[in-house]
C-alpha cells in the first residue's frame, strides 16, 4: 500500500487490479481522510495480488470475482489498511 501526497494531489498505490466500483468505494473512504484533495487510485503498485472487487462482485464469481484470491472481504480489508496508513501519515 502506498499513499503519496504532492501538494493537493494524493496518489494511492494499490497492489492489484481494482475494479471501477471498488476503486470508487476506496476513493470515497479516503476522501474523509483527505478532504478537498484530488485523489488518484493507481493499480499495480510494486506488487500484484490479483483483482480487488467489491463483495457483491466477488459473490457473482465472474472473471474478476473469481480471481480475487483473498476472498469477498478483500476490499474491506484494503480500505481499513489504507485508512490506517493515512492516519499514520496525518499524525507525523
Amino acid at each position: 500500500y502506498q499513499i503519496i501526497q504532492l501538494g493537493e494531489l494524493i496518489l494511492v498505490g494499490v497492489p492489484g487490479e481494482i475494479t471501477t466500483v471498488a476503486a470508487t468505494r476506496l476513493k470515497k473512504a479516503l476522501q474523509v481522510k483527505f478532504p478537498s484533495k484530488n485523489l488518484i487510485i493507481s493499480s499495480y503498485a510494486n506488487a500484484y495480488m490479483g483483482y480487488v472487487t467489491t463483495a457483491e462482485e466477488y459473490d457473482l464469481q465472474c472473471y474478476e470475482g473469481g480471481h480475487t484470491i483473498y476472498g469477498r472481504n478483500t476490499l474491506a480489508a484494503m480500505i481499513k489498511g489504507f485508512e490506517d496508513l493515512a492516519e499514520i501519515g496525518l499524525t507525523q
Side-chain angles (χ1 to χ4, degrees):
Y1 296 2
Q2 297 174 340
I3 299 176
I4 301 165
Q5 182 171 357
L6 302 168
E8 296 299 310
L9 177 65
I10 304 291
L11 299 170
V12 179
V14 177
E17 188 166 349
I18 192 166
T19 64
T20 358
V21 177
T24 300
R25 291 183 188 178
L26 174 59
K27 188 174 187 177
K28 184 176 180 180
L30 288 176
Q31 282 177 324
V32 172
K33 301 287 183 182
F34 300 103
S36 73
K37 303 282 187 203
N38 185 18
L39 271 85
I40 295 175
I41 308 294
S42 176
S43 290
Y44 308 125
N46 291 333
Y48 185 73
M49 54 175 269
Y51 279 89
V52 178
T53 61
T54 65
E56 299 86 359
E57 290 168 328
Y58 179 83
D59 289 345
L60 289 174
Q61 283 296 293
C62 293
Y63 181 80
E64 294 85 354
H67 191 56
T68 300
I69 58 177
Y70 293 105
R72 82 182 308 272
N73 295 314
T74 299
L75 177 61
M78 183 171 281
I79 288 172
K80 174 70 171 120
F82 273 112
E83 287 174 335
D84 291 349
L85 183 59
E87 196 61 41
I88 290 168
L90 291 171
T91 60
Q92 293 184 4

